[in-house]
């Protein structure tokens, strides 16, 4: 029997962790002479107070959904894929090739082709560390983080070489008009009333939602998902049941790499409409925190991605309209990651003791 009820693990622990991070962040803001309450109001207004703010919040959240899901599926197989950054970079390369060299008649076909290309490129990049883990015992943490740097070098090579557009900037040419995805501004334009004006959020957000549903169905409604979870809980028991460790490691990492690569349809095809250097902007690493906070559940990942989207957009507004430096915004984001990830047991253990004592008291009452 679990020490804590499921709702406490899924809801209560993340909420308490966020509150602790918020309190510590408020103290830091107070220490530099700013008003924490005013800072919070500015963040909320900048990220959620207008459709423009929501457009940026959902744009960032879309990136984090893909990278969070990528980390989550690997977690279920007890694999720590921290190569989402590199897999998303290589996924962007796949999107660029698909969009630049295939004449698409309409954005719907281009979106499907780019999603497949991004997934294949991302999966291929994850396949090498997966093979090294499965066959050679090379730890996936080491290999995936090394592959992040290799991916950046590969992207550099193409953006100053074969894919470089005329000019000084290391970037590809603008993608053809037929590949441009509809933004939320296009989708929610009602004559004189236009929502999300100037915001980069686009139809990829709905692709990310579909990915959440698909991954939930895969993990909890299919035999493969059961095998992945069984392997993650106990490799020895899974092997005894006839589950191949090599198969699970390879499949889990391929799915993980594909999801990370698909982030590129949002930031490369949807927003920039070309491939540029550093297009991922750290979203691969944020995906780790998102998966941790979301307890590796697709719905939890969605909520955590929305929170980090809020932090990113709200933090940008805070840096723009106050004297709080951008570096401090990163510190606030890091505190949320710290409390929801590394310091999880600091919250979990006291709560487990509390629920255990409550259960014992309840049982003692029944005995009497």
């Amino acid at each position: 029997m679990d020490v804590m009820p499921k709702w406490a693990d899924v809801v209560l622990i993340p909420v308490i962790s966020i509150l602790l991070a918020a309190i510590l962040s408020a103290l830091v803001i107070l220490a530099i002479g700013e008003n924490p309450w005013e800072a919070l109001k500015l963040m909320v207004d900048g990220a959620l107070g207008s459709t423009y703010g929501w457009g940026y919040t959902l744009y960032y959240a879309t990136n984090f959904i893909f990278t969070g899901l990528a980390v989550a599926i690997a977690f279920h197989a007890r694999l720590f894929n921290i190569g989402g950054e590199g897999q998303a970079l290589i996924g962007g390369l796949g999107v660029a090739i698909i969009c630049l060299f295939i004449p698409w008649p309409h954005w719907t076909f281009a979106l499907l082709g780019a999603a497949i290309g991004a997934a294949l490129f991302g999966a291929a990049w994850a396949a090498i560390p997966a093979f090294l883990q499965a066959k050679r015992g090379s730890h996936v943490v080491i290999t995936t983080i090394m592959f992040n740097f290799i991916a950046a070098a590969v992207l550099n090579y193409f953006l100053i070489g074969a894919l470089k557009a005329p000019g000084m900037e290391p970037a590809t040419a603008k993608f053809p008009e037929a590949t441009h995805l509809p933004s939320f501004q296009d989708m929610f334009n009602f004559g004189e009333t236009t929502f999300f004006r100037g915001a980069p959020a686009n139809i990829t957000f709905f692709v990310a939602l579909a990915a959440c549903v698909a991954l939930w169905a895969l993990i909890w409604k299919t035999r493969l998902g059961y095998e992945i979870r069984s392997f993650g809980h106990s490799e020895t028991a899974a092997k005894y049941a006839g589950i191949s460790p090599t198969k699970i490691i390879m499949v889990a990492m391929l799915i993980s790499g594909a999801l990370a690569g698909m982030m590129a349809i949002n930031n490369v095809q949807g927003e920039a409409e070309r491939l540029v250097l550093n297009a991922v902007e750290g979203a691969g690493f944020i995906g780790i925190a998102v998966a941790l906070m979301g307890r590796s559940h697709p719905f939890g990942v969605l909520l955590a991605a929305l929170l980090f989207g809020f932090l990113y957009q709200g933090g940008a507004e805070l840096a723009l309209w106050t004297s709080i430096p951008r570096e401090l915004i990163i510190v606030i984001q890091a505190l949320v990651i710290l409390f929801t990830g590394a310091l999880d047991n600091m919250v979990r253990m006291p709560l487990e003791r509390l629920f255990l004592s409550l259960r014992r008291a309840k049982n003692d009452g029944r005995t009497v």
Side-chain angles (χ1 to χ4, degrees):
M1 183 181 290
D2 292 333
V3 176
M4 283 194 305
K6 189 68 175 176
W7 68 267
D9 182 42
V10 174
V11 178
L12 190 58
I13 291 177
V15 167
I16 293 175
S17 298
I18 292 169
L19 288 175
L20 289 173
I23 291 168
L24 194 54
S25 300
L27 293 174
V28 172
I29 293 172
L30 197 62
I32 64 170
E34 292 284 344
N35 186 327
W37 180 247
E38 292 299 323
L40 176 61
K41 287 199 296 184
L42 187 58
M43 286 184 70
V44 172
D45 186 59
L48 308 175
S50 65
T51 57
Y52 172 83
W54 268 105
Y56 270 92
T57 298
L58 294 178
Y59 167 75
Y60 292 128
T62 303
N63 291 337
F64 302 149
I65 289 170
F66 282 117
T67 56
L69 292 176
V71 176
I73 182 64
F75 274 167
H76 279 290
R78 201 178 290 178
L79 296 168
F80 197 1
N81 177 20
I82 54 178
E85 192 84 2
Q87 290 148 20
L89 284 172
I90 297 300
L93 187 60
V95 168
I97 292 172
I98 292 292
C99 290
L100 287 172
F101 297 107
I102 297 178
W104 298 100
H106 193 262
W107 68 263
T108 51
F109 299 104
L111 174 59
L112 180 61
I116 294 171
L120 289 176
F121 272 64
W125 199 250
I128 305 171
F131 179 82
L132 293 174
Q133 167 84 38
K135 292 296 187 181
R136 307 298 300 175
S138 303
H139 204 290
V140 73
V141 169
I142 304 299
T143 52
T144 51
I145 199 167
M146 290 174 66
F147 266 65
N148 287 336
F149 295 100
I150 299 172
V154 168
L155 193 65
N156 263 327
Y157 172 80
F158 280 101
L159 290 183
I160 63 174
L163 296 179
K164 185 178 181 298
M168 296 293 292
E169 187 180 8
T172 67
K174 201 79 168 175
F175 297 161
E177 187 73 29
T179 67
H180 295 181
L181 300 182
S183 67
F184 275 16
Q185 179 178 333
D186 301 324
M187 297 167 63
F188 298 98
N189 186 349
F190 305 103
E192 295 181 359
T193 305
T194 301
F195 297 103
F196 303 99
R197 190 184 299 275
N202 58 80
I203 200 170
T204 311
F205 176 71
F206 299 107
V207 179
L209 294 181
C212 289
V213 175
L215 193 65
W216 171 82
L218 171 68
I219 294 172
W220 278 282
K221 299 296 180 181
T222 67
R223 177 176 176 175
L224 175 61
Y226 176 77
E227 290 179 346
I228 290 172
R229 288 184 288 119
S230 299
F231 180 82
H233 283 296
S234 173
E235 181 178 348
T236 304
K239 288 170 69 175
Y240 185 78
I243 298 171
S244 168
T246 300
K247 170 192 169 183
I248 297 303
I249 291 171
M250 290 298 300
V251 169
M253 283 297 291
L254 286 172
I255 297 172
S256 180
L259 287 165
M262 285 180 67
M263 177 195 134
I265 61 177
N266 184 49
N267 65 325
V268 175
Q269 184 184 12
E271 192 265 332
E273 296 171 348
R274 59 176 184 156
L275 182 60
V276 298
L277 283 177
N278 195 30
V280 179
E281 296 180 327
F285 295 113
I286 296 297
I288 299 171
V290 167
L292 286 170
M293 181 181 287
R295 297 294 184 267
S296 298
H297 191 288
F299 182 67
V301 167
L302 170 61
L303 295 180
L306 290 170
L307 171 64
F308 276 92
F310 162 78
L311 288 175
Y312 255 60
Q313 174 58 16
E317 292 290 322
L318 206 58
L320 180 64
W321 298 109
T322 69
S323 60
I324 298 176
R326 180 66 185 173
E327 290 75 17
L328 189 59
I329 308 303
I330 297 172
V331 169
I332 294 172
Q333 294 165 355
L335 286 172
V336 175
I337 296 172
L338 184 66
F339 277 94
T340 57
L343 299 180
D344 180 78
N345 280 338
M346 188 180 76
V347 177
R348 179 182 298 277
M349 293 175 70
L351 281 177
E352 286 181 346
R353 287 195 293 267
L354 174 63
F355 278 102
L356 187 59
S357 63
L358 290 173
R359 182 176 295 166
R360 285 173 177 168
K362 186 177 180 180
N363 292 336
D364 290 343
R366 286 177 179 174
T367 303
V368 172

